[in-house]
């Protein structure tokens, strides 16, 4: 066997030596001009672009077989500026054909290429001749079959310009490998590039490259991965008259807000728009994308349904989605109606830029919805954003233990927001409703609330200052916390000057509550306010300032005849003044003085001039001076000072 191996090895060694000698000899006697011309002709045949060489040309046969062109430009037949400029273009040659004095390119490497893509209004670009040539030469039976299988790009730059759509983009530091198999119909490209300050890793593969170049249907797989966003597509593509794609699309982002900014889109104002994921069946026709079997997740909210995105000069998103639990708290977390002290409206200006970037038409339903402290049951609502005007409509929502429906609209006028709200709350828990909507936490019971308001301003304070509209409330079987009208009136009926005491506790139950308020320029006027209970009744008139959040009301509290045990009952006027969250409530002192027997006698006595003169004489003796001139008789009937009840009380007990 050893002798057999020696006999076999000798011919092989001789053959290799002969090949080496032939290769060296070929490199000595090779016609380099013919080689350069052959390489230029193949590149022109493959790309359809004219090769313009302004630099040196390096030719090597051994040990490496290649031709390197320096300062190369490739230009289409109908263009003036080169579509591609390369610092060094190297064509590696196939070894075996080279020994037979045939020049065939194995692969091409481009060092620091500058690729320029210009698209015209017809959708064609300066690379259209190149694509048409590739499609023609790769078809089976073509005269000039593509002879090289790979193109590598290192440290490249791509400039894209679309003057019709006003789009200009640049990809930098491109490292890319394009698989160009001459014996296969498939195509693949993998690599990395920089776009808008982020490194993007991508890959694309076509099942039938010739069909895809010709606009016919072909399988397509694409993937892009970067820090802000990951995108993948697996399906088919065609481009006869317009781009058509059908398949499964997935999108994933740690922060949708950052991804939108990276893509040049205006991020929505407020908070939220963090973790985002989408998987759907996509159907792309031109600038329209229809998504079915959608499973989308945003900030922990998961929904299913259908979506459509259209970009025809203005971006439009339509969606119909259903969800189990929805939490809108992140989107209102940065919005504050009240300032940090919670005693004044927030004066920070609104950010309305996001209202003018995208049109939106959404229908959304959920089993449970959370908006800050508010918890809603089954809810169906819609959102429409068009031309800078946002309209929200609530078809039906289980809210505050009842049902709510209505609409809310915001229209942008420069930096001013025009707001319009119309809502109806039916059979709701008034304590929860009044506390969350108006900051009033002293009302309980159940009832109906109807609100119709309009306002215009650049901040919450501006809206409060311009508030117009109406609000009506009807309640039943509840109470007003903070004071017990029945106990207070009964005590004051027996002893009108018994002192204020601690009457700011307990609660006033009611059977029926009716409130009708009209708003004008931020001032709420009580048109009809009645609280009716079994033992007491309350009526109110006056105003409340929405900008300053203060009451200025007058009312009458009455004991019913049944509760007093007589036919007259007992009426007591009172005043409500001060801030909404802690108002002052105090009775009319003049009425209390007049109802006190001792104080009433004193008032009657001082009406007589002789009695007043005697009292003045006594005062002069004690003070050693002259008393001030007596006031006119009409002044006697004026309301007594606030301290008069206590003085009369100490002078003579009831």
């Amino acid at each position: 066997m050893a002798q057999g191996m020696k006999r076999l090895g000798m011919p092989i060694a001789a053959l290799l030596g002969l090949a080496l000698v032939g290769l060296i000899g070929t490199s000595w006697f090779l016609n380099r001009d013919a080689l350069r011309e052959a390489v230029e002709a193949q590149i022109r045949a493959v790309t359809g672009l004219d090769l313009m060489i302004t630099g040196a040309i390096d030719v090597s046969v051994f040990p490496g077989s290649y031709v390197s062109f320096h300062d190369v430009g490739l230009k289409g037949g109908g263009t003036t500026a080169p579509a591609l400029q390369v610092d060094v273009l190297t064509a590696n040659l196939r070894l075996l054909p080279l020994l037979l004095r045939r020049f065939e390119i194995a692969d091409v490497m481009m060092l620091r290429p500058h690729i320029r893509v210009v698209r015209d209004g017809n959708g064609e670009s300066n690379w259209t001749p190149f694509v048409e040539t590739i499609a023609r030469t790769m078809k089976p039976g073509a005269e000039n079959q593509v002879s090289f299988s790979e193109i590598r790009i290192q440290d490249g730059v791509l400039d894209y310009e679309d003057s019709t759509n006003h789009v200009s983009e640049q990809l930098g530091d491109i490292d890319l490998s394009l698989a160009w198999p001459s014996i296969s119909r498939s195509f693949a490209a993998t690599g990395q590039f920089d776009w808008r300050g982020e490194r993007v890793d991508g890959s694309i593969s076509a099942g039938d490259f010739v069909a895809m170049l010709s606009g016919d249907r072909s399988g397509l797989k694409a993937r892009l991965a970067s820090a802000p966003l990951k995108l993948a597509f697996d399906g088919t593509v065609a481009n006869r008259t317009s781009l058509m794609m059908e398949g499964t699309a997935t999108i994933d982002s740690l922060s949708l807000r950052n991804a939108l900014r990276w893509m040049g889109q205006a991020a929505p104002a407020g908070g939220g728009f963090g973790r985002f994921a989408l998987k759907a069946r996509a159907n792309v026709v031109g600038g329209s994308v229809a998504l079915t079997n959608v499973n989308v997740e945003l900030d922990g909210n998961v929904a299913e349904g259908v979506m459509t995105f259209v970009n025809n000069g203005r971006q439009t998103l339509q969606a119909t989605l259903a969800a189990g639990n929805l939490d809108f708290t992140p989107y209102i977390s940065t919005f504050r109606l009240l300032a940090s002290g919670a005693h004044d409206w927030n004066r920070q200006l609104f950010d309305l830029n996001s209202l003018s970037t995208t049109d939106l038409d959404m229908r959304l339903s959920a089993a449970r919805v959370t908006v800050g402290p508010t918890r809603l049951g089954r809810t169906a609502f819609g959102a429409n954003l068009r031309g800078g005007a946002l309209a929200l409509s609530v078809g039906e929502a289980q809210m505050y233990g009842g049902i709510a429906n209505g609409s809310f609209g915001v229209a942008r006028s420069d930096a001013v927001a025009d707001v319009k709200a119309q809502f109806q709350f039916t059979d709701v828990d008034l304590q929860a409703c009044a506390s969350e909507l108006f900051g009033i936490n002293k009302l309980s019971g159940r009832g109906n609330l109807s609100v119709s308001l309009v306002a215009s301003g650049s901040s919450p304070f501006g809206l409060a200052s311009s508030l117009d509209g109406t609000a009506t409330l009807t309640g039943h079987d509840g109470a007003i916390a903070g004071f017990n009208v029945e106990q207070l009136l009964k005590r004051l009926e027996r002893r009108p000057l018994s002192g204020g005491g601690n009457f700011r506790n307990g609660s006033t139950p009611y059977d029926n509550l009716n409130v009708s308020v009209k708003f004008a320029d931020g001032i709420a006027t009580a048109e009809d306010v009645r609280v009716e209970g079994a033992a007491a009744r309350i009526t109110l008139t006056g105003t409340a300032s929405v900008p300053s959040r203060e009451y200025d009301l007058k009312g009458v509290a009455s004991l019913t005849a049944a509760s007093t045990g007589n036919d007259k009952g007992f009426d007591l006027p009172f005043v409500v003044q001060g801030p909404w969250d802690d108002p002052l409530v105090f009775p009319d002192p003049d009425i209390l003085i007049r109802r006190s027997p001792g104080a009433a006698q004193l008032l009657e006595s001082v009406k007589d001039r002789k009695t007043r003169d005697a009292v003045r004489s006594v005062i002069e003796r004690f003070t050693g001076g002259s008393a001030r001139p007596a006031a006119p008789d009409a002044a006697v009937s004026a309301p007594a000072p606030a301290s008069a009840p206590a003085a009369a009380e100490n002078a003579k007990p009831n």
Side-chain angles (χ1 to χ4, degrees), residues 340-362:
S340 57
H343 296 295
D344 190 15
W345 297 100
N346 190 0
R347 297 174 185 258
Q348 184 177 358
L349 299 180
F350 295 130
D351 183 5
L352 305 175
N353 293 326
S354 58
L355 293 180
S356 58
T357 56
T358 303
D359 291 340
L360 175 68
D361 187 6
M362 178 178 290

Side-chain angles (χ1 to χ4, degrees), residues 155-189:
D155 196 15
V157 175
L158 185 148
D159 288 326
Y160 176 82
E161 295 180 9
D162 185 352
S163 58
T164 304
N165 297 317
H166 306 286
V167 177
S168 179
E169 297 290 348
Q170 184 180 83
L171 307 183
D173 195 12
I174 302 174
D175 291 326
L176 190 64
S177 176
L178 294 84
W180 209 296
S182 58
I183 60 174
S184 174
R185 300 174 66 88
S186 64
F187 168 82

